[in-house]
Amino acid sequence: MKSSVVFFLFSFMFCVTVNAQNELPIKIDNSKIKPLQKLLDSSLQTNLREELASHPEWNDLIIQKKMAVGLVDLSNPEQVRFARVNGNHMMYAASLPKIAILLAAMDAIEKGEIKETAEVKKDMRLMISKSDNAASTRMIDRVGYEKLEAVMTDPKYAFYDEQKGGGLWVGKRYGSGGDTNREPLKNLSHAASVTQVCRYYYLLANGKLVNQKRSKQMLDIMEDPELHHKFVNTLDKIAPNARLFRKSGSWRTYHSDSILVWGEDNNRRYILVALIDDANGEQIIRDLVKPIEKVLKKPVL
């Protein structure tokens, strides 16, 4: 009888531990969450750069600063590894910066500046999952450019930093008409850099955007994207059971994607961000996933 009870308790604790490891936001002591820039890993950096350079088309784009890639290895949340190519090079990112609107809206809701109505919640989901421009514009109008800029430049986040090449910015409605508030470095209306987007997902995964409750709510909004192109197109095939949290964007030759992949296996847990200025950008982003997963599997040098 005693052995049965012990076995039951052991099984219960094992299941609780496994479930905790699989939860998002990640359950980890605050002292172990370091600034992402301090987690740059030379081995991962070398492997990423070599892999990208082995594809002549990609290498040419990287040299021309028309392609940027950021990668965060989350397989061990206590030993996160970060690598990037053209990491601080800000580019036009179309709809990807709608994640900035989501954060500003959540911050405003938490502070009582916006009411969390059914319409607001619906628009936030449409804005992210379907990249709906009308819903995005309604959210911009609710939040306002001043709030967007304040949150992106808030020292708590520093997602836009003029001293580090800029970063995440939304300064134009996703539709015609209305005032604009373009970012000061390149006069871009919708901008991003892979370093800042990687930081966004890293803080989100650790429950550090607004607070853990709001981070969880944001993760729920970003999960199960309804547009199955770019990264998602490939991941649907090679990791159909992985949880995907995602926002992408495209306009003319500008193609971008950002994703948090949370696989059943710890070894398929990572953040991947790509910004590309090329007519073939959508296909390049699809083709990036497998080489990136190969990079993650390489032994530490």
Side-chain angles (χ1 to χ4, degrees):
M1 180 69 177
K2 285 184 179 180
S3 61
S4 298
V5 172
V6 170
F7 177 77
F8 172 78
L9 289 173
F10 175 80
S11 300
F12 175 77
M13 291 304 297
F14 176 77
C15 290
V16 168
T17 301
V18 170
N19 287 334
Q21 291 173 343
N22 287 328
E23 283 182 10
L24 283 170
I26 297 167
K27 301 295 186 293
I28 187 172
D29 189 85
N30 282 340
S31 64
K32 296 179 180 179
I33 303 173
K34 300 177 181 178
L36 189 61
Q37 296 94 317
K38 293 187 177 181
L39 299 174
L40 283 165
D41 183 89
S42 59
S43 176
L44 186 65
Q45 181 70 34
T46 297
N47 289 335
L48 174 64
R49 188 64 187 91
E50 288 181 350
E51 179 61 39
L52 295 175
S54 70
H55 301 260
E57 179 189 3
W58 302 357
N59 194 49
D60 288 346
L61 289 171
I62 289 167
I63 292 170
Q64 297 173 59
K65 291 191 177 296
K66 290 188 173 186
M67 180 172 177
V69 178
L71 177 62
V72 183
D73 178 5
L74 296 175
S75 58
N76 182 347
E78 296 188 11
Q79 293 182 350
V80 173
R81 300 188 301 153
F82 174 44
R84 74 280 183 269
V85 173
N86 287 331
N88 292 333
H89 180 63
M90 182 173 60
M91 296 172 64
Y92 181 77
S95 290
L96 189 157
K98 290 175 182 177
I99 60 175
I101 306 171
L102 180 63
L103 173 57
M106 283 295 175
D107 185 85
I109 289 168
E110 183 66 18
K111 293 174 179 175
E113 298 165 355
I114 292 177
K115 288 186 177 180
E116 192 175 8
T117 64
E119 290 78 13
V120 166
K121 289 191 283 188
K122 180 180 179 181
D123 275 349
M124 287 192 294
R125 174 63 185 175
L126 285 170
M127 174 177 71
I128 298 299
S129 67
K130 290 189 174 180
S131 202
D132 186 283
N133 284 337
S136 304
T137 295
R138 288 193 293 271
M139 290 307 304
I140 290 172
D141 291 345
R142 290 181 181 114
V143 173
Y145 293 134
E146 186 176 339
K147 176 70 174 182
L148 278 162
E149 180 175 349
V151 174
M152 291 305 103
T153 58
D154 187 333
K156 177 182 178 182
Y157 302 123
F159 288 137
Y160 185 92
D161 186 341
E162 287 190 54
Q163 304 306 312
K164 296 180 180 178
L168 268 173
W169 189 275
V170 174
K172 184 179 181 297
R173 300 162 92 229
Y174 285 90
S176 59
D179 296 333
T180 62
N181 180 37
R182 294 172 181 269
E183 56 81 31
L185 291 179
K186 295 184 178 180
N187 200 39
L188 296 174
S189 56
H190 308 117
S193 68
V194 297
T195 292
Q196 296 293 20
V197 179
C198 281
R199 288 185 61 245
Y200 182 105
Y201 278 86
Y202 171 68
L203 290 172
L204 180 62
N206 281 291
K208 297 303 177 184
L209 292 190
V210 185
N211 53 41
Q212 189 163 81
K213 174 188 173 184
R214 295 300 180 187
S215 290
K216 175 65 168 62
Q217 192 174 352
M218 292 169 69
L219 285 163
D220 290 343
I221 289 170
M222 297 181 74
E223 189 169 11
D224 293 329
E226 296 184 46
L227 301 177
H228 291 255
H229 56 2
K230 299 177 185 168
F231 290 151
V232 176
N233 179 273
T234 301
L235 286 160
D236 280 344
K237 299 170 184 174
I238 67 172
N241 296 320
R243 298 175 67 190
L244 306 179
F245 307 81
R246 183 278 191 114
K247 186 71 198 79
S248 69
S250 287
W251 185 73
R252 296 184 179 176
T253 61
Y254 293 96
H255 299 274
S256 57
D257 209 352
S258 60
I259 197 163
L260 164 60
V261 179
W262 198 254
E264 294 177 311
D265 182 344
N266 286 17
N267 292 321
R268 182 174 267 144
R269 293 183 177 177
Y270 59 88
I271 296 161
L272 178 59
V273 182
L275 304 174
I276 299 173
D277 175 10
D278 185 80
N280 195 37
E282 201 274 348
Q283 186 61 50
I284 293 172
I285 290 174
R286 289 190 187 201
D287 294 341
L288 261 175
V289 177
K290 290 181 180 179
I292 289 298
E293 292 208 348
K294 185 170 72 173
V295 167
L296 289 168
K297 293 173 183 175
K298 287 187 176 182
V300 176
L301 299 175

